[in-house]
C-alpha cells in the first residue's frame, strides 16, 4: 500500500530502500510557545538494517525531549496477528468472487510473482484491504526490509533506553479499523490500485526513501500522496486528511503543558497541502521547519 498506514500496520503503507546521499538529513519541524516545544519528524516504517539517517539536529531534539509520541506502541506481533484475524479474514466471501475473472487472474499471477506464501489461495480468504497490504509488503520483506529496523522503532528504543516514556497517538486496533471499516467499494479500489502499481513498487519506494533522507518534502508528497489524492479521493480523506486533523488537534492541545515533546509519524503525513503542519497552521499554530 502506498499510503503511510500500510507500512505502519503490518509494516505498511509504504516508504523505503536505497542508495542514499552520503549526508542524510530528514526534515524536522518545531512548534513552540513560551514554555512548550514540540518537534515533528517524519518516519519510514521499513528500513534496511544498515540505513544511516541520524543528524546532529535530530539527536539534539531527541535528547532535549522528555516524551516521544509515535503512531502506535501496541503493535507487537501477537496483538497485530489477532487483529488481522478478526478484521482481515473473510473465508465466506472469497476474494476471487468479488473481482472480475480478468482481475482474479491478474491477482493470481501477481501473488506468485511477488512471492506471497500460498499464492492466490492465501489471498482468497482475505478481505480486499488485507490482500492489498499483503501484495504490497511481501516483496519488501523478501528484499530484506524489516519493520524492526523502522525509524519509529529505533526512536522508541532510544527513548526507552534513556528512561523516557513512549506514547501512541493511535492504537493498533484503530489503525486496522481505518481499513477494515472502509466501504467494500473503497477496499476493492485499494486492491485494484495496488495491483496496478505492483510492478513499480520497488522503484517508487527507492525514490521515496531517497527523498526522505534528503528532506525533500515536495517529492515525498508527489510520490506518497498525489496519486491517492487524485485517483482515490475518499481513501485519501479517510487515511490521511482525517487522521492529520485529529493529530493536529492533539498537538495543539499539548501546547497547554510545559516541556519538550518529540512526535514521529509517517513521512507522508508531514508532506503536501493536507499535512499535519498545514492543519496546525489552520488551527492558528505556527510551524517552523528547522534548517
Amino acid at each position: 500500500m502506498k499510503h503511510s498506514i500500510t507500512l505502519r500496520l503490518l509494516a505498511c503503507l509504504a516508504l523505503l530502500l536505497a542508495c542514499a546521499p552520503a549526508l542524510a538529513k530528514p526534515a524536522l519541524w518545531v512548534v513552540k510557545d513560551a514554555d512548550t516545544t514540540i518537534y515533528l519528524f517524519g518516519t519510514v516504517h521499513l528500513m534496511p538494517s544498515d540505513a544511516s539517517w541520524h543528524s546532529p539536529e535530530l539527536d539534539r531534539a531527541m535528547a532535549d525531549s522528555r516524551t516521544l509520541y509515535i503512531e502506535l506502541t501496541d503493535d507487537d506481533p501477537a496483538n497485530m496477528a489477532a487483529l488481522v484475524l478478526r478484521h482481515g479474514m473473510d473465508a465466506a466471501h472469497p476474494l476471487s468472487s468479488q473481482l472480475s475473472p480478468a482481475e482474479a487472474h491478474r491477482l493470481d499471477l501477481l501473488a506468485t510473482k511477488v512471492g506471497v506464501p500460498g499464492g492466490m489461495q492465501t489471498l482468497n480468504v482475505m478481505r480486499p484491504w488485507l490482500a492489498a497490504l499483503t501484495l504490497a509488503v511481501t516483496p519488501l520483506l523478501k528484499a530484506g526490509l524489516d519493520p524492526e529496523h523502522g525509524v519509529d522503532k529505533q526512536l522508541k528504543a532510544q527513548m526507552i533506553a534513556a528512561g523516557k516514556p513512549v506514547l501512541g497517538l493511535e492504537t493498533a486496533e484503530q489503525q486496522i479499523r481505518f481499513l477494515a471499516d472502509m466501504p467494500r467499494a473503497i477496499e476493492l479500489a485499494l486492491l485494484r490500485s495496488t495491483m496496478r502499481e505492483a510492478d513499480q513498487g520497488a522503484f517508487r519506494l527507492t525514490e521515496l526513501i531517497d527523498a526522505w533522507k534528503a528532506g525533500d518534502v515536495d517529492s515525498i508528497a508527489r510520490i506518497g500522496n498525489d496519486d491517492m489524492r487524485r485517483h482515490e479521493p475518499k481513501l485519501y480523506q479517510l487515511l490521511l486528511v482525517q487522521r492529520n486533523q485529529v493529530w493536529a488537534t492533539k498537538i495543539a492541545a499539548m501546547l497547554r503543558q510545559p516541556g519538550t515533546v518529540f512526535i514521529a509519524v509517517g513521512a507522508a503525513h508531514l508532506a503536501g497541502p493536507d499535512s499535519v503542519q498545514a492543519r496546525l497552521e489552520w488551527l492558528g499554530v505556527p510551524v517552523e521547519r528547522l534548517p
Side-chain angles (χ1 to χ4, degrees), residues 44-90:
V44 175
H45 300 290
L46 291 177
M47 291 284 283
S49 60
D50 60 348
S52 174
W53 47 268
H54 280 268
S55 69
E57 295 80 7
L58 172 63
D59 289 338
R60 280 195 296 271
M62 284 287 289
D64 291 342
S65 298
R66 68 180 187 186
T67 305
L68 170 67
Y69 283 87
I70 55 178
E71 290 185 33
L72 65 162
T73 59
D74 61 340
D75 56 344
D76 59 278
N79 188 40
M80 295 301 292
L83 290 170
V84 166
L85 286 173
R86 188 183 316 147
H87 299 293
M89 309 303 288
D90 186 8

Side-chain angles (χ1 to χ4, degrees), residues 126-138:
M126 293 181 176
R127 291 268 303 272
W129 71 263
L130 182 58
L133 274 152
T134 303
L135 194 64
V137 172
T138 296

Side-chain angles (χ1 to χ4, degrees), residues 136-197:
V137 172
T138 296
L140 305 182
L141 298 178
K142 288 173 71 68
L145 297 172
D146 188 343
E148 293 305 312
H149 298 146
V151 173
D152 45 351
K153 293 291 182 71
Q154 294 187 50
L155 294 176
K156 177 182 176 181
Q158 183 178 337
M159 290 295 273
I160 290 174
K164 299 177 181 180
V166 179
L167 305 175
L169 292 169
E170 298 172 339
T171 67
E173 180 154 20
Q174 281 178 304
Q175 287 209 345
I176 292 282
R177 293 293 293 270
F178 285 131
L179 297 167
D181 291 347
M182 290 189 296
R184 187 55 59 101
I186 298 180
E187 271 195 82
L188 288 167
L190 171 62
L191 175 58
R192 292 183 178 111
S193 176
T194 303
M195 290 167 61
R196 284 195 304 271
E197 298 180 2

Side-chain angles (χ1 to χ4, degrees), residues 30-39 248-259 261 263 280 283-287:
V30 66
V31 176
K32 61 169 56 179
D33 61 15
D35 58 3
T36 306
T37 298
I38 302 172
Y39 293 103
T249 302
K250 289 183 178 181
I251 292 166
M254 291 178 191
L255 289 170
R256 301 176 195 145
Q257 299 294 326
V261 175
I263 297 176
L280 282 166
L283 292 172
V285 178
V287 183

Side-chain angles (χ1 to χ4, degrees), residues 103-113 119-121 123:
E103 289 171 334
H105 180 63
R106 165 77 171 153
L107 183 59
D108 190 355
L109 294 176
L110 284 172
T112 300
K113 181 177 181 180
M120 186 62 184
Q121 186 175 358
L123 297 182

